[in-house]
Amino acid sequence: MIDGIARFAEVVDELPPESTQQAVGYPSLFLLVALGALVPVVPTGAIVSSAAVVAFHQTSPLSLLFVFLVSAFAALLGDTALYWLGRRGVHSDKGSRWLAALEGRASPERLAHARERLDAHQVSVLVLSRLVPAGRIPVMLACLLAEMPLRRFVRGDAAACLAWAATYQLIGILGGSLFPEPWQGVVAAVVLTVLISTVPALWRRVRGARAEAPASGAPAPAPGAPAPETPASGSPGRSRHEHP
């Protein structure tokens, strides 16, 4: 076994640098994107953009096409596996930790909004869910609660994964075209994808804080103004001697 590993290392050392990057990069890209789709904590958009930067600086004209196809297929596979695991939780009396994890990552407001849009627009909402920051999980959970069949989900999610892979690959191409060195383009692509994913969430928090600030502070009564009357007992607004 040790001899086999040593021979493999020798073969890898003899390969041209670009071939080595492709032999290692595509499987790594597939695993990272699939894992990020299944466990929504890995920044898969930044990974795809970084891979697109590296592919942009390679001489092979098919490198960008391979990055696009691998990213889209891995995202679809991860989404399908997560949806299948979530369906098991929906149809189980005890639920599942996967369904609980999805519910924990979707706020009630965003879930209610996703369910309303799903009822109105059906599969088109699923197609756009991956392009909206933090929109994939609420829409997927809404599909689970609506008991959308797995085949129908896969059809809509396939278009969503293709659009998502194309969008983040374009970000990587932009970063690769602006800088001569690949590492500079990777840094630019990562920063841009992080801004795309975090700025909308921060803006929603700021708007929510501004909306809650006037509602939380009740106006103080004017000096000398009589205190509001409260019922002595019983139900609000009902006299003590009034019978139901």
Side-chain angles (χ1 to χ4, degrees), residues 61-205:
L62 299 178
S63 298
L64 288 172
L65 177 61
F66 289 154
V67 169
F68 171 72
L69 294 177
V70 170
S71 302
F73 180 68
L76 177 61
L77 185 62
D79 285 353
T80 303
L82 184 59
Y83 191 79
W84 179 78
L85 292 170
R87 277 177 58 88
R88 293 186 61 185
V90 169
H91 294 110
S92 175
D93 295 336
K94 298 181 180 180
S96 69
R97 64 185 184 92
W98 294 98
L99 182 61
L102 290 175
E103 292 175 344
R105 297 186 62 86
S107 64
E109 295 79 9
R110 292 182 66 83
L111 177 59
H113 185 54
R115 297 188 73 171
E116 292 176 0
R117 291 185 300 165
L118 184 64
D119 293 338
H121 304 287
Q122 297 298 320
V123 181
S124 60
V125 176
L126 180 60
V127 174
L128 298 176
S129 62
R130 270 189 164 270
L131 300 179
V132 178
R136 181 176 71 101
I137 297 302
V139 172
M140 181 182 291
L141 186 56
C143 294
L144 286 170
L145 297 178
E147 298 188 359
M148 178 181 290
L150 180 61
R151 290 184 178 180
R152 187 178 181 187
F153 173 82
V154 171
R155 287 197 299 268
D157 192 61
C161 292
L162 290 173
W164 170 82
T167 300
Y168 282 97
Q169 183 166 4
L170 288 176
I171 294 174
I173 293 174
L174 177 62
S177 61
L178 292 178
F179 299 95
E181 297 295 332
W183 69 268
Q184 296 173 334
V186 169
V187 172
V190 170
V191 171
L192 185 57
T193 53
V194 170
L195 289 176
I196 291 175
S197 60
T198 57
V199 169
L202 293 176
W203 175 246
R204 285 194 299 268
R205 291 183 180 180

